[in-house]
Amino acid sequence: MVNLLNRLPLLGALTGTPARPRREPTHDEVVAERYRERTDPRPGDWAYAHLLDLRDALAEELRGASGRWLDFGAGTSPYRGLLPGARLETAEMRGGEDLTADHELDADGLSALPDGSFDGILSTQVLEHVTDPDTHLREALRLLRPGGKLVLSTHGVWEEHGGQDLWRWTADGLAAQAERSGFTVDRAVKLTCGPRGLLLLLRYHGRQHGWPAGGPVGLLLRTLTLADRLRPRLVDDYLDRVFGGLGRVEGPAEPFYLDILLTATKPSAPETPERDAK
C-alpha cells in the first residue's frame, strides 16, 4: 500500500516520501533559473519571500547609485539592473559562474586593480563562501575611493550550500567585523525575520526532504507539504499578507533572521596637518 501511495505525488506527501524525481535540469537551465529567481521572485518559488526581501532592500540602498561600481564576487551579477545610473563592472575568481567577468580575482579573492578605483562596491551572498572574510572586506575597502560605499549581504541563518560554505553572522557581528576592517557602518538591516523566515524554512524542508511519519505533528507537517504541492503560492501569499512587515527590520527587534544587508562607507582620508611656518 505504501509503495502505491509513493507513486502518487500528492498522497506521497502524506506518507512523508518525496515525489518521484524529475528530469535533471542542465547547467544552463539552473543558472538561468537562479538568475530569474533573484531578479523576478514569484510566489511559489522555493525561497520567494527571502529573495524578494533581499532584492527590495538592495533596490532601496542602490537607488541613485552613480559613478563606477564593482560587483565583487559577481557570479551571474543578478542585481546589475538595480544600478542603472552607475557604470558597473564585475570581478570573479576563475571557475566562477560568470565566465565573462571584467576582472579576475586570484585564489585569495584579491584584485590587481589600483587603490581607490571605485565609487561603490556591491557584494551579495559572497562573504559566507570566502576563506577569509577579513581579506574580502579589506580588499573592498582598498578598492573604494574615500567616501565610497559598500553594499553587502550575507546570511544570518541558512542551510549549507554552494560548495565552500564557511560562515554565518549576526547583524551586530557583521557590523563589528566591517568596522574592524576600517569601514564606517551606516546600517545593518535584518532580512526575512521571525515567522516570515521560520515558515519559509519549514516549507523548504518539506519540499526538499519531506517529513517522517509519526503522530499529529508529523501529520500536520505532511499536510502542509501536500497543500504546498497543490497550491505552491499558498504559503507565500500568507507570508506577504500576514508577515510582510517582517521583510526588513532594524535594531534589536526580531532576533531570528535569514539574511543581513550591511551598508558602510570608507572614511575620508584625514587631512595632513601643515608644517609650522618658520
Side-chain angles (χ1 to χ4, degrees):
M1 181 64 175
V2 173
N3 289 337
L4 176 61
L5 293 177
N6 290 346
R7 297 177 186 175
L8 304 175
L10 299 182
L11 294 177
L14 290 176
T15 69
T17 305
R20 290 181 297 176
R22 300 177 181 177
R23 177 186 67 85
E24 286 295 321
T26 67
H27 173 75
D28 288 345
E29 288 173 338
V30 170
V31 171
E33 182 63 7
R34 288 188 62 199
Y35 183 87
R36 196 279 303 164
E37 288 170 341
R38 284 151 181 77
T39 58
D40 181 27
R42 303 166 189 167
D45 288 347
W46 69 279
Y48 159 78
H50 171 52
L51 294 176
L52 177 71
D53 297 339
L54 176 57
R55 187 202 64 185
D56 289 352
L58 285 168
E60 180 181 309
E61 290 296 340
L62 296 171
R63 188 176 297 118
S66 61
R68 187 184 183 194
W69 277 68
L70 180 70
D71 195 340
F72 187 26
T76 57
S77 192
Y79 300 111
R80 66 181 77 129
L82 301 179
L83 298 97
R87 186 170 76 257
L88 183 66
E89 301 171 28
T90 57
E92 182 59 88
M93 297 176 67
R94 184 181 296 274
E97 289 179 329
D98 186 353
L99 304 180
T100 59
D102 299 301
H103 308 286
E104 184 176 324
L105 304 175
D106 67 17
D108 295 319
L110 303 177
S111 164
L113 289 159
D115 296 358
S117 294
F118 297 95
D119 299 290
I121 299 282
L122 178 64
S123 173
T124 58
Q125 313 307 94
V126 174
L127 198 63
E128 68 269 21
H129 298 294
V130 302
T131 302
D132 186 347
D134 290 319
T135 296
H136 184 84
L137 289 166
R138 287 194 296 266
E139 181 70 352
L141 186 77
R142 182 187 73 80
L143 291 170
L144 282 171
R145 62 166 179 77
K149 183 175 182 178
L150 170 70
V151 177
L152 179 147
S153 69
T154 189
H155 285 300
V157 176
W158 200 253
E159 69 169 19
E160 294 181 13
H161 63 285
Q164 175 173 284
D165 187 3
L166 302 174
W167 315 103
R168 296 293 183 270
W169 282 266
T170 64
D172 288 345
L174 183 61
Q177 188 159 16
E179 288 174 347
R180 288 196 302 271
S181 297
F183 283 98
T184 299
V185 173
D186 303 315
R187 301 174 70 191
V189 181
K190 302 171 182 179
L191 303 179
T192 320
C193 305
R196 186 170 172 87
L198 285 166
L199 189 52
L200 183 154
L201 293 179
L202 197 68
R203 190 270 303 274
Y204 173 70
H205 185 90
R207 283 189 177 185
Q208 294 296 109
H209 309 291
W211 296 100
V217 174
L219 178 61
L220 180 63
L221 291 171
R222 292 193 299 276
T223 301
L224 173 64
T225 300
L226 173 60
D228 181 50
R229 290 185 184 173
L230 285 169
R231 189 164 181 255
R233 62 178 295 155
L234 181 69
V235 172
D236 293 325
D237 288 341
Y238 175 73
L239 292 179
D240 281 345
R241 185 175 66 255
V242 180
F243 300 115
L246 295 179
R248 286 175 277 170
V249 176
E250 289 188 68
E254 299 301 336
F256 181 88
Y257 41 93
L258 301 187
D259 217 75
I260 307 155
L261 180 67
L262 179 132
T263 58
T265 305
K266 179 174 181 176
S268 298
E271 294 184 3
T272 304
E274 296 181 3
R275 294 173 179 264
D276 292 336
K278 294 184 178 180

